[in-house]
Amino acid sequence: MSFQSYNPTTGELIGTYEEHSDSEVERLLQQSHDTWKSWSKTPITERSAFLIRLADLLESRAEEYGALIVSEMGKPLAEAIGEVKKSAFGARHFASDGPAYIADEAIPGTPGKIIYQSIGPIFGVMPWNLPFWQVLRFFIPAALVGNTVIVKHAESVQGSAAAIEKLILDAGAPAGLYTNLVIDRRRAPKVISDPRIAAVTVTGSTQAGRSVAEQAGALGKKAVLELGGSDPFIVFADADFDKAVQMAVVSRYSNNAQSCIAAKRLFVEESIAERFTAAFVEAVKKIPIGDPMKSETKLGPLARKDIRDTVHRQVTDAVGAGARVLAGGKPIEGPGNFYEATVLAGLPHDAAVAREEFFGPVAMLFTFKNEEEAIALANDTEYGLGATVWSGNPERAERVAASIEAGAVFINDFVRSDPRAPFGGVKGSGFGRELGGLGARELTNAKLVWKGA
């Protein structure tokens, strides 16, 4: 079997990739396990030096990799290059600060300490929407702590998958530190069940993540899940109005509006709702849509035709449930998987489609009367990844942030991941953390060492 990669801007076939055979999978799993035995004993100074070399290569190849990302998933070139550079920043951060994250930790008042040790090969199931960052944000801390990594990347971004594997080898990694496993998703359960696999991490849909977690749990293996999201973006009347509008557009439509942590449900206090809606819709209508290789483009095509079809089905369902289309609302004719930047208002909160995740350029506008209602509406979802609170009252902003059921809440800013801070969700958005100190320690054995008299 083979995978095909199509350019979402033109629809042209750009690559065909053959699956690994069962014998190749067996060889690669054994290689990863053998490499772990030696890599885990490699001094952390050498592992950090490897991350510096990785960062150097990412920066020097940022434009090359950026163009590759655009060709496979369609985001604007500037954002694709930014994704590569963010990965480089992550590598530099963990090279410098990572050793402190996993340093031995004394337990005050006792003769005990905690040491953080690697656990073995980690199997990662990765998505297409951030084909470099999603993989490297998991790989970098895993490699620093002494684990090896095996990745089943999304079928549609196999060019990026192969490029990442070569990048890591070019940075001086031993064969088996990073393995690109070219397999269909239906073969993933066999890899998960392999005794050489120590843990599993998934970034993807809630359904897929739960399936993996169920299997991993039955085997006694740890799982880290970063799944879907329907982030609330709450705007109080005392917020910085212009900045809130601007950041709402950025948060919803960046990365071609294909991000788990986008602002998908906008809740605006009633007293400013009419003004906010007018300003937001006007800004959305001005978003330049087109060829993502052109510098002026801010919204490119959706990654695949089936994704565009799903988005349009959801918009149609929303209109059927009572929503008004204030902007966009339909596919763009011609080559590629383009869809208009869309704004919906008036959708009943209890409509089935209002509870779905829109993984495309659709924003849903709602209003609220007071703080209590804003919190209740924001939490009325199965998801709990990120959230944003906009208010000029610091005490209220902190109070609302503490009440939101999410893995991260940003105040007067839009949600995004940062290598220095833990990232992950609750409820249907998963569990476990990546990045920061918590992420560095997530896939380790936190071993207690107790010294007797």
Side-chain angles (χ1 to χ4, degrees), residues 309-366:
D309 291 345
T310 296
V311 169
H312 190 54
R313 187 271 300 167
Q314 290 176 302
V315 170
T316 302
D317 288 350
V319 172
R324 305 186 311 277
V325 178
L326 304 185
K330 61 183 183 297
I332 297 174
E333 294 183 3
N337 306 322
F338 291 92
Y339 199 90
E340 294 177 333
T342 300
V343 181
L344 302 176
L347 182 63
H349 295 290
D350 58 354
V353 68
R355 299 178 181 278
E356 295 179 6
E357 178 182 22
F358 276 85
F359 217 69
V362 180
M364 295 182 285
L365 282 171
F366 304 93

Side-chain angles (χ1 to χ4, degrees), residues 263-312:
K264 294 166 186 173
R265 297 177 298 139
L266 279 63
F267 299 99
V268 185
E269 193 165 3
E270 284 184 348
S271 62
I272 62 166
E274 184 175 348
R275 180 182 168 216
F276 184 95
T277 298
F280 180 74
V281 170
E282 181 182 9
V284 169
K285 288 181 176 179
K286 292 179 180 178
I287 297 174
I289 305 174
D291 183 350
M293 290 298 290
K294 293 183 178 180
S295 60
E296 64 269 23
T297 297
K298 298 300 180 185
L299 183 63
L302 295 175
R304 300 192 311 267
K305 182 180 181 299
D306 65 294
I307 297 171
R308 185 178 70 172
D309 291 345
T310 296
V311 169
H312 190 54

Side-chain angles (χ1 to χ4, degrees), residues 20-364:
H20 284 129
S21 66
D22 287 344
S23 61
E24 288 173 320
V25 171
E26 166 60 28
R27 178 184 64 80
L28 293 170
L29 287 172
Q30 187 59 48
Q31 177 178 260
S32 180
H33 190 264
D34 291 343
T35 299
W36 165 63
K37 291 180 180 179
S38 58
W39 181 252
S40 62
K41 297 179 177 63
T42 300
I44 197 166
T45 53
E46 294 184 26
R47 301 200 295 259
S48 294
F50 157 72
L51 293 182
I52 293 295
R53 296 193 300 271
L54 182 67
D56 290 342
L57 286 179
L58 283 164
E59 289 170 349
S60 68
R61 300 176 182 179
E63 293 189 5
E64 171 193 343
Y65 291 151
L68 173 60
I69 292 170
V70 174
S71 73
E72 290 197 308
M73 66 76 58
K75 74 171 66 178
L77 179 61
E79 293 185 21
I81 292 173
E83 176 183 334
V84 178
K85 291 183 176 180
K86 182 176 181 177
S87 301
F89 174 67
R92 292 197 188 283
H93 170 70
F94 279 99
S96 61
D97 291 7
Y101 290 152
I102 56 172
D104 294 355
E105 184 178 331
I107 303 174
T110 79
K113 65 178 180 179
I114 300 170
I115 62 174
Y116 296 96
Q117 296 181 315
S118 66
I119 56 176
I122 313 298
F123 182 46
V125 180
M126 295 290 110
W128 47 263
N129 60 324
L130 291 154
F132 269 68
W133 169 242
Q134 297 276 19
V135 171
L136 292 173
R137 81 178 188 193
F138 138 62
F139 166 76
I140 288 166
L144 178 74
V145 304
N147 294 319
T148 56
V149 161
I150 300 169
V151 169
K152 192 213 86 63
H153 215 329
E155 287 88 341
S156 61
V157 292
Q158 287 299 308
S160 293
I164 293 170
E165 184 173 52
K166 184 177 186 303
L167 160 74
I168 290 169
L169 288 171
D170 289 349
L177 176 60
Y178 178 95
T179 300
N180 176 38
L181 201 60
V182 187
I183 60 171
D184 182 84
R185 63 174 64 90
R186 290 169 293 187
R187 296 171 68 191
K190 186 176 180 180
V191 177
I192 296 169
S193 64
D194 191 285
R196 289 164 293 196
I197 296 296
V200 187
T201 181
V202 179
T203 300
S205 70
T206 298
Q207 181 180 3
R210 286 174 173 170
S211 176
V212 169
E214 181 178 7
Q215 183 185 359
L219 295 167
K221 297 183 181 184
K222 188 167 190 175
V224 176
L225 308 180
E226 193 269 280
L227 308 178
S230 188
D231 287 8
F233 188 99
I234 303 170
V235 184
F236 286 96
D238 60 1
D240 182 328
F241 183 88
D242 292 338
K243 187 176 180 182
V245 171
Q246 177 191 5
M247 290 299 101
V249 175
V250 169
S251 181
R252 184 62 198 101
Y253 299 98
S254 294
N255 202 58
N256 285 356
Q258 296 172 115
S259 173
C260 295
I261 52 173
K264 294 166 186 173
R265 297 177 298 139
L266 279 63
F267 299 99
V268 185
E269 193 165 3
E270 284 184 348
S271 62
I272 62 166
E274 184 175 348
R275 180 182 168 216
F276 184 95
T277 298
F280 180 74
V281 170
E282 181 182 9
V284 169
K285 288 181 176 179
K286 292 179 180 178
I287 297 174
I289 305 174
D291 183 350
M293 290 298 290
K294 293 183 178 180
S295 60
E296 64 269 23
T297 297
K298 298 300 180 185
L299 183 63
L302 295 175
R304 300 192 311 267
K305 182 180 181 299
D306 65 294
I307 297 171
R308 185 178 70 172
D309 291 345
T310 296
V311 169
H312 190 54
R313 187 271 300 167
Q314 290 176 302
V315 170
T316 302
D317 288 350
V319 172
R324 305 186 311 277
V325 178
L326 304 185
K330 61 183 183 297
I332 297 174
E333 294 183 3
N337 306 322
F338 291 92
Y339 199 90
E340 294 177 333
T342 300
V343 181
L344 302 176
L347 182 63
H349 295 290
D350 58 354
V353 68
R355 299 178 181 278
E356 295 179 6
E357 178 182 22
F358 276 85
F359 217 69
V362 180
M364 295 182 285

